[in-house]
Amino acid sequence: MDGIAIRRCTRDELKAVMHVNELTLPENYPQFFYESILERFPESFLIAEDLAKQKIIGYIMFRVERGMEPGIKFVKKGHLVSIAVLKGYQGKKIGKQLLIEGLKRVRTYSVDIFVLEVRISNEKAITMYKRLNFKIKKTLESYYRDGENAYYMVLHAKHFKPDG
Ligand SMILES: CC(C)(COP(=O)(O)OP(=O)(O)OC[C@H]1O[C@@H](n2cnc3c(N)ncnc32)[C@H](O)[C@@H]1OP(=O)(O)O)[C@@H](O)C(=O)NCCC(=O)NCCS
């Protein structure tokens, strides 16, 4: 990914992140939603920048939550809220690098597990998550506003192998 930098997002870059989100995903959020995640979990809110064009072309953001997880107990979760890369930059390993770097950073909040929801039709993303050892734990019926089901996927922090 020559010429692409991955680093922490700053407040004045949130508009550009929202633009990437609106161009790539049907799940969109109001500005205060991004602001609250950046304020509370800045370590794991990352952007990918095309250095030559000084353009933000991707992002990843997590929330850290406490909760029960079947078969485990009360755990601290690194919840992947959203990840996206602009169309013209997809398929160049940028998404994978954002995900690996994001997991490394959210781990610094001492989470026990990483969790996410993904549309059951999103084969590209599901393949990417499985490549990093995420497992499908259950199907969430009509999880998305348009009625599509989601897969709930989990990876234990101790099983995370950033170098594959
Ligand atoms: C999903 C997404 C973030 C992946 O980012 P990307 O930069 O295109 O993906 P990468 O080039 O880093 O590839 C990472 C992995 O994704 C999978 N992948 C990527 N492109 C793929 C394709 N065309 N077909 C199948 N799998 C694909 C592969 O497993 C790949 O790993 P590998 O090359 O080691 O096999 C990106 O496609 C995207 O932004 N999609 C729209 C938004 C979205 O769906 N976000 C996820 C919501 S849960």
Side-chain angles (χ1 to χ4, degrees), residues 89-120:
Y89 291 86
Q90 290 178 5
K92 303 177 194 301
K93 306 285 176 221
I94 298 167
K96 191 174 180 179
Q97 287 314 313
L98 273 170
L99 181 59
I100 290 173
E101 200 52 39
L103 292 171
K104 283 183 185 170
R105 306 281 186 106
V106 79
R107 202 170 47 176
T108 64
Y109 293 112
S110 344
V111 299
D112 306 297
I113 62 172
F114 308 114
V115 303
L116 61 89
E117 295 87 9
V118 57
R119 285 176 178 269
I120 59 173

Side-chain angles (χ1 to χ4, degrees), residues 83-85 90-93 95-96 122 124 127 129 131:
I83 179 173
V85 174
Q90 290 178 5
K92 303 177 194 301
K93 306 285 176 221
K96 191 174 180 179
N122 194 343
K124 252 206 272 189
T127 313
Y129 299 138
R131 277 257 169 25

Side-chain angles (χ1 to χ4, degrees), residues 1 20-21 23-27 57-59 80-87 89-99 116-119 122-132 144 151:
M1 322 167 313
V20 173
N21 168 268
L23 288 175
T24 52
L25 281 164
E27 291 73 47
I57 53 104
Y59 70 88
L80 173 51
V81 174
S82 187
I83 179 173
V85 174
L86 280 181
K87 270 224 166 3
Y89 291 86
Q90 290 178 5
K92 303 177 194 301
K93 306 285 176 221
I94 298 167
K96 191 174 180 179
Q97 287 314 313
L98 273 170
L99 181 59
L116 61 89
E117 295 87 9
V118 57
R119 285 176 178 269
N122 194 343
E123 285 165 24
K124 252 206 272 189
I126 292 165
T127 313
M128 179 175 70
Y129 299 138
K130 282 186 174 172
R131 277 257 169 25
L132 280 172
Y144 293 97
Y151 286 138

